[in-house]
Amino acid sequence: MRKILLAVVALSLLAGSTAQAFPFKKKKKKDENGNIIPDRTPKQRKNNIKFTFARYMFAFIRERFGDLPVWKIAAAQRGMTDDNLIHATNYKYLDEKGEILDMEGFQVSLGSLALPLNLRATRIGTLVTITWDDSRDAPSAAPTDRMMVGIFYADYRDTFTLEKETGATRRDGKCEITLRDDDGEVCIHPFFARADNTAFSEDKAITLPDTE
């Protein structure tokens, strides 16, 4: 899908070049009051292209969440749609092609649940081990809260994976996940979900270099 979109944009740019080579009198667009609408500047056209790519990327990321209502709950609390909230939160972390520019800055989860202060991770090849200490039993930090992990790959900036079923809870103090690829740097985003998926924590970005 992304390759198709790139091709469409390329053809649009080619059409623009052809129009310059064979000029013709362009009909001016007017608004409802009859005022001439000025042509878009190159910067505006560039921003429109990024916006289009970003919509595809955010749609892809929301698909990875499936029926997990992380962004829907956060958006409802702010009087927004989940689409608008993820766009407003993360648009600046994408490049002009809609790919992940800042893996650490990207916000994977929002919510009121607490994260452990000493959340950390190590990596050996494809095996990532996340550990923490948290003995709290409170509405914002229950022992049964489940750990989930978002993953960005430095070598694949146009994708995102989400490990929803890690089997680890807050009381366990440890979670292990397996990466799909042992090449290149990765950035994991662990966060917690209430057992019934009615509340979530923010995520913490942890960058892990290639261990090879």
Side-chain angles (χ1 to χ4, degrees):
M1 178 62 73
R2 184 170 296 277
K3 291 182 178 179
I4 294 174
L5 188 57
L6 284 169
V8 171
V9 173
L11 286 173
S12 297
L13 294 175
L14 179 61
S17 300
T18 303
Q20 292 179 358
F22 302 96
F24 61 93
K25 188 173 182 181
K26 184 178 179 181
K27 185 178 180 181
K28 296 292 185 179
K29 294 182 179 180
K30 296 183 179 181
D31 61 20
E32 58 185 9
N33 297 317
N35 299 315
I36 295 176
I37 301 174
D39 292 335
R40 288 178 295 178
T41 65
K43 182 178 180 180
Q44 288 173 325
R45 288 194 292 270
K46 184 177 180 180
N47 288 338
N48 286 343
I49 291 172
K50 177 182 176 179
F51 182 84
T52 300
F53 283 135
R55 293 297 296 269
Y56 276 90
M57 184 55 149
F58 291 141
F60 174 82
I61 290 174
R62 291 201 313 277
E63 286 179 0
R64 305 286 77 74
F65 280 87
D67 58 0
L68 193 69
V70 176
W71 288 94
K72 289 185 181 297
I73 291 175
Q77 293 170 344
R78 294 164 173 77
M80 302 172 69
T81 65
D82 58 332
D83 180 60
N84 288 339
L85 179 58
I86 194 171
H87 190 102
T89 304
N90 290 309
Y91 184 76
K92 59 186 175 183
Y93 301 123
L94 302 183
D95 65 15
E96 66 277 2
K97 295 180 181 179
E99 298 182 356
I100 305 299
L101 178 66
D102 184 350
M103 297 191 300
E104 290 189 343
F106 199 100
Q107 190 97 36
V108 170
S109 176
L110 295 171
S112 59
L113 298 188
L115 280 175
L117 294 177
N118 59 346
L119 189 62
R120 52 203 181 274
T122 58
R123 173 188 179 186
I124 301 176
T126 59
L127 178 64
V128 172
T129 302
I130 307 166
T131 56
W132 63 92
D133 297 308
D134 196 343
S135 59
R136 290 174 291 179
D137 188 354
S140 63
T144 54
D145 291 340
R146 299 179 299 121
M147 170 158 282
M148 301 182 180
V149 186
I151 308 169
F152 292 111
Y153 293 83
D155 292 342
Y156 305 95
R157 298 278 180 159
D158 61 346
T159 192
F160 167 76
T161 59
L162 179 62
E163 297 291 337
K164 293 185 283 187
E165 303 296 337
T166 66
T169 61
R170 189 184 293 268
R171 67 159 61 95
D172 295 330
K174 180 179 179 180
C175 173
E176 291 185 342
I177 60 171
T178 301
L179 303 174
R180 74 174 194 183
D181 196 323
D182 62 358
D183 292 330
E185 183 179 82
V186 300
C187 185
I188 64 169
H189 289 252
F191 63 96
F192 283 101
R194 188 171 285 164
D196 60 0
N197 289 338
T198 57
F200 302 87
S201 73
E202 291 191 354
D203 57 289
K204 178 179 180 179
I206 304 174
T207 297
L208 300 169
D210 190 344
T211 58
E212 295 297 326

